[in-house]
Amino acid sequence: MRKLVLAALAASAMSAPALAQDSTFTGPRVEALVGYDAAKDGTDGDGASKDGVTYGGAIGYDVQLGGAVIGAEAELTGSGVGTRTNNLLVAGDRFRADLGRDIYVGARAGVAITPTTLLYAKGGYTNARVETTYETGNTKTEIHEDMEGFRVGAGAEFKLSNNMYLKGEYRYSNYGKIDGYDIDIDRHQVVAGVGIRF
């Protein structure tokens, strides 16, 4: 019996460091994202706001140093935000504008408030595409414009297991003035994600 108790204690002591190591927020990660997306022309106070769904994925790498966590991440998403207008310039014409793909590269820093909960802030570069189509009669014109700007945000990550996690995040993006257009796009997003850390 004494040997069995000693063996159990030894096994417990050896597994505790491994469990503590597994419970950190360190390592590469990949995640799927979906959420609410709203864009507004902030040039003046009464700019129209359009909303829809954002969806996509992200990769990243984090390092935990004590209670602090720092990392880098990259993201590719699409958007359901768009507008449709008929009879814009002449009777029977059709105009469509959609937010297309969005590329984000940035960093995040946070605090592990428990072994399974991380609170963080983020910031970085974002590049979004606007896709416009104008049709009249048999003529169709398509234009793709890229918008460059910055993104800031904050969120929380919750471990479901040593490898899987859920996250919730709010982020704000601004793309500034677009060459040739009198618009200044602001973007607000609230997203949820599920991910795996390797």
Side-chain angles (χ1 to χ4, degrees):
M1 180 69 169
R2 183 179 173 194
K3 289 182 180 179
L4 184 60
V5 170
L6 289 174
L9 287 173
S12 174
M14 288 171 44
S15 65
L19 182 60
Q21 184 178 6
D22 287 343
S23 66
T24 68
F25 292 92
T26 294
R29 58 186 167 86
V30 60
E31 60 195 33
L33 301 167
V34 65
Y36 173 75
D37 191 3
K40 181 177 181 179
D41 177 5
T43 305
D44 52 43
D46 58 357
S49 179
K50 298 294 181 182
D51 59 2
V53 176
T54 186
Y55 50 88
I59 58 172
Y61 190 92
D62 299 307
V63 176
Q64 183 167 348
L65 306 168
V69 177
I70 57 173
E73 57 187 1
E75 185 179 297
L76 177 63
T77 56
S79 178
V81 175
T83 185
R84 308 284 185 273
T85 304
N86 293 329
N87 306 313
L88 179 66
L89 300 176
V90 296
D93 69 359
R94 293 184 298 279
F95 174 77
R96 185 176 77 225
D98 297 297
L99 284 180
R101 63 102 183 105
D102 187 301
I103 299 169
Y104 166 78
V105 179
R108 71 176 189 168
V111 176
I113 59 171
T114 74
T116 59
T117 304
L118 170 68
L119 300 181
Y120 64 88
K122 65 186 290 177
Y125 166 82
T126 178
N127 181 298
R129 177 164 291 172
V130 178
E131 302 173 347
T132 59
T133 304
Y134 179 74
E135 296 179 75
T136 179
N138 295 324
T139 304
K140 182 177 182 179
T141 304
E142 296 180 322
I143 300 174
H144 305 289
E145 286 285 339
D146 289 346
M147 307 183 297
E148 296 183 326
F150 68 88
R151 176 174 295 164
V152 293
E157 184 177 309
F158 308 95
K159 281 180 173 283
L160 300 177
S161 68
N162 284 336
N163 299 100
M164 291 194 67
Y165 62 87
L166 290 176
K167 67 183 274 186
E169 183 176 291
Y170 164 79
R171 60 263 197 101
Y172 166 79
S173 303
N174 181 275
Y175 300 98
K177 295 286 186 182
I178 302 175
D179 292 341
Y181 301 90
D182 187 24
I183 56 175
D184 182 6
I185 301 296
D186 290 322
R187 195 172 194 177
H188 299 269
Q189 297 173 316
V190 179
V191 300
V194 58
I196 299 174
R197 180 172 276 105
F198 299 98

